[in-house]
Amino acid sequence: HTGTNKYRVSQTDYTRKPKYSKVAQYQTPMNVPEVTYSIEKGTKIKFSAETVYQIYDNFAKFIKEGMEKEVDISELEKGIYHLYFDDKSADFTKK
């Protein structure tokens, strides 16, 4: 994701006690443009760059996820959906 990303590794040993590493951070370069999206005729979601995404229906049921620049939504039923991508969220209506 764009912005600051924080990572930590965990290990569970034979005593079943987890051990955690220190937090490691990665900041995306400032010249990396923000990821945006648009919906093309209710058939595709187009992102401005390849990104990780998830789609849920209005009842919070998982529908689809991946890492792509374009997502085919032509087979989704009519309704309201929630889109999560990069570090953003948006709602869209499939008509």
Side-chain angles (χ1 to χ4, degrees), residues 74-88:
S74 61
E75 294 184 12
L76 293 182
E77 295 180 13
K78 293 179 181 181
I80 299 171
Y81 293 88
H82 308 285
L83 172 65
Y84 300 93
F85 66 99
D86 197 40
D87 62 345
K88 299 169 191 56

Side-chain angles (χ1 to χ4, degrees), residues 2 9-10 14-15 17 24 33 38 46-47 52 54-55 61-63 65 67 78-79 81 84 87 90:
T2 56
V9 177
S10 71
Y14 68 93
T15 64
K17 290 184 181 179
S38 62
K46 287 190 170 187
F47 297 109
V52 174
Q54 294 179 330
I55 299 174
K61 179 182 172 194
F62 171 78
I63 303 296
E65 71 180 347
M67 182 171 179
K78 293 179 181 181
Y81 293 88
Y84 300 93
D87 62 345

Side-chain angles (χ1 to χ4, degrees), residues 1-4 26-35:
H1 299 297
T2 56
T4 302
Y26 173 75
Q27 175 69 41
T28 54
M30 295 303 286
N31 60 350
V32 174
E34 179 179 327
V35 177

Side-chain angles (χ1 to χ4, degrees), residues 49-61:
E50 187 174 71
T51 189
V52 174
Y53 71 90
Q54 294 179 330
I55 299 174
Y56 291 84
D57 70 10
N58 205 32
F59 302 103
K61 179 182 172 194

Side-chain angles (χ1 to χ4, degrees), residues 7-11 19-24:
Y7 302 93
R8 196 166 72 161
V9 177
S10 71
Q11 175 198 11
K19 294 179 183 177
Y20 300 95
S21 69
K22 293 181 181 179
V23 174

